[in-house]
């Protein structure tokens, strides 16, 4: 198979320079057919992208930067292509003879200007991959923008996920096309200069914030609840939430509670801001709340987070997120709670974050936020299934089964209520970890998947702060997490308490 990208030479971008497209681990040749300009870009766009490269991207080129003449793809059109992917906003190429003619559309409109228009209106667009022959939508997704710095970064993110979707379509795997409405702009469309200027100002403000505060600073919330919990009410109402105290220069996130061998512990990501790498720690809970010291229980040379726990075969197992290491590893509890050994690798050679497993209709299903090396970290859902926890794990027929920043990334344990299967998901529409959603899984098999988001949860009076991205429960104990401002000076005051006045209210309780 030969794939042909149809692009506008006048606006050649670095993302177009690829010579292959990875499809199911195979590198399929890509050639370029240069087309005339369908419509001009905003004046000075490339100069603004270059400014962002120097200031926002620390000199690193993004996929949106101009492709200079001597680095054009070596596979310009030389052979008859099997598949044409038309990235222009112009008319269909009448001279093509490919068996498939694909056109990406951004909020329903083709061409780079359509993607830019959506970004300038305040959001990343919904992407459709359309069959130009019959007009059918073959795939649809909404990318997450947690690493999309500036206008160039946003465009790079959109095009990266567009290529993910093109590869999925060309894999031949059946696609599950979700219903996703185009986003509504947050305000009047800015011009590129205003957008970039605002982005640079925000970047400066963030750097100042990081100089003064630890960012982000997550904290774990907990409460004992004898009545209806979050899953029953669909909100955070009920008993007041308490905050698990931290030393100030560490943050705690991704809480997973469990009762094992008669003792209840909450396991969580413990990140030392001074090191920038997470480990897994735990703290015991009694009827009155946390007791004793926080215990480090698992550390690796790479970052660990999201300590998913599962009981199987009379043993306790953990799957901490280790996507930066490129695998999904299973750890066995040797001594509860503080001794764990790496037992096996369930999946290797892929970025899969926040792995969460459920048993359903006789099979184990493994969910994770998948990434193919580019684009955001929170918009693509991959599912694997197996007869047994130790595997072998097989990919779902439609991986990635969903591309949607608002309902993809796992946010805690599955739950079953009235014979219905539910999963908490991260809603990253307003940024990474900004909110939670509760989704009912209405179809799940090795070949099908469908979920319906029933409830959305955001920080508010019941849980002040800027973030909310994990939900779990064990018996009476409910846990969530969020973020707040953590001045770096607070660490000093904890080291030298006599230098400051005592606090007037308890910092460990949020009401």
């Amino acid at each position: 198979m030969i794939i042909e990208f149809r692009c506008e030479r006048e606006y050649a971008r670095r993302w177009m320079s690829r010579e292959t497209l990875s499809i199911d681990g195979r590198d399929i040749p890509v050639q370029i057919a240069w087309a005339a300009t369908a419509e001009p870009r905003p004046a000075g766009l490339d100069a603004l992208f270059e400014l962002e490269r120097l200031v926002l991207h620390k000199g690193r080129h993004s996929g949106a930067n101009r492709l200079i003449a001597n680095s054009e793809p070596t596979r310009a059109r030389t052979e008859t292509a099997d598949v044409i992917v038309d990235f222009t906003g112009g008319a269909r190429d009448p001279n093509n003879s490919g068996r498939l003619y694909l056109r990406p559309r951004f909020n329903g409109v083709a061409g780079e200007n359509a993607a830019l228009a959506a970004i300038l209106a305040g959001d990343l667009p919904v992407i459709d991959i359309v069959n130009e022959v019959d007009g059918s939508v073959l795939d649809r997704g909404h990318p997450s923008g947690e690493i999309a710095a500036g206008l160039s970064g946003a465009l790079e993110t959109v095009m990266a996920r567009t290529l993910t979707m093109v590869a999925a379509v060309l894999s031949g795997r059946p696609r599950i096309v979700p219903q996703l409405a185009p986003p509504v702009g947050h305000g009047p469309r800015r011009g590129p200069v205003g957008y970039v200027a605002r982005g640079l100002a925000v970047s400066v403000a963030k750097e100042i914030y990081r100089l003064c505060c630890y960012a982000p600073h997550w904290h774990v919330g907990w409460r004992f609840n004898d009545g209806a919990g979050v899953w029953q009410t669909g909100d955070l109402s009920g008993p007041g939430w308490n905050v698990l105290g931290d030393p100030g220069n560490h943050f705690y996130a991704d809480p997973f509670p469990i009762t094992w061998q008669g003792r209840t512990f909450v396991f969580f990501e413990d990140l030392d801001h001074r090191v920038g790498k997470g480990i897994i720690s735990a703290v015991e809970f009694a009827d009155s709340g946390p007791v004793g010291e926080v215990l480090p229980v698992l550390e690796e040379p790479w970052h660990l987070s999201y300590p998913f726990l599962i009981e199987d075969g009379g043993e306790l197992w953990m799957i901490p997120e280790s996507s930066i290491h490129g695998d999904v590893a299973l750890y066995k509890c040797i001594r509860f709670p503080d001794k764990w050994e790496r037992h096996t690798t369930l999946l290797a050679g892929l970025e899969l974050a926040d792995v969460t497993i459920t048993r359903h209709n006789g099979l184990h299903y493994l969910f994770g936020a998948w990434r193919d090396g580019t684009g955001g970290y929170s918009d693509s859902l991959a599912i694997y299934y197996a007869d047994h926890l130790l595997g072998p794990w097989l990919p779902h027929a439609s991986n990635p089964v969903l591309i949607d920043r608002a309902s993809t990334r796992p946010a805690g344990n599955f739950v079953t209520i009235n014979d219905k299967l539910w999963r908490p998901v991260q809603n990253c529409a307003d940024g990474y970890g900004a909110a939670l959603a509760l989704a009912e899984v209405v179809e799940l098999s090795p070949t099908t998947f469908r979920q319906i988001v029933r409830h959305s949860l955001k920080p508010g009076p019941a849980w002040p702060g800027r973030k909310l991205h994990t939900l779990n429960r064990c018996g009476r104990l409910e846990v969530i997490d969020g973020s707040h401002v953590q001045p770096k000076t607070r660490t000093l005051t904890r080291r030298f308490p006599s230098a400051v006045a005592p606090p007037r209210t308890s910092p460990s309780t949020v009401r």
Side-chain angles (χ1 to χ4, degrees), residues 267-271 277-282 294-309 317-322 329-335 337-343:
F267 291 74
F268 50 88
E269 174 193 353
D270 179 351
L271 185 140
K277 181 177 75 72
I279 67 172
I280 305 303
S281 291
V294 168
L295 302 173
V297 300
L298 181 61
E299 182 173 3
E300 294 284 14
W302 50 88
H303 175 78
L304 298 176
S305 61
Y306 199 85
F308 172 76
L309 301 165
W317 308 86
M318 182 195 298
I319 305 176
E321 190 218 304
S322 56
L330 181 70
Y331 291 78
K332 184 178 181 180
C333 184
I334 305 303
R335 182 183 64 212
D338 61 343
K339 187 174 182 180
W340 300 76
E341 288 184 357
R342 185 177 177 121
H343 184 77

Side-chain angles (χ1 to χ4, degrees), residues 202-214:
V202 169
S203 177
V204 171
K206 286 181 177 178
E207 289 302 319
I208 294 173
Y209 177 76
R210 292 189 184 99
L211 287 173
C212 301
C213 302
Y214 293 116

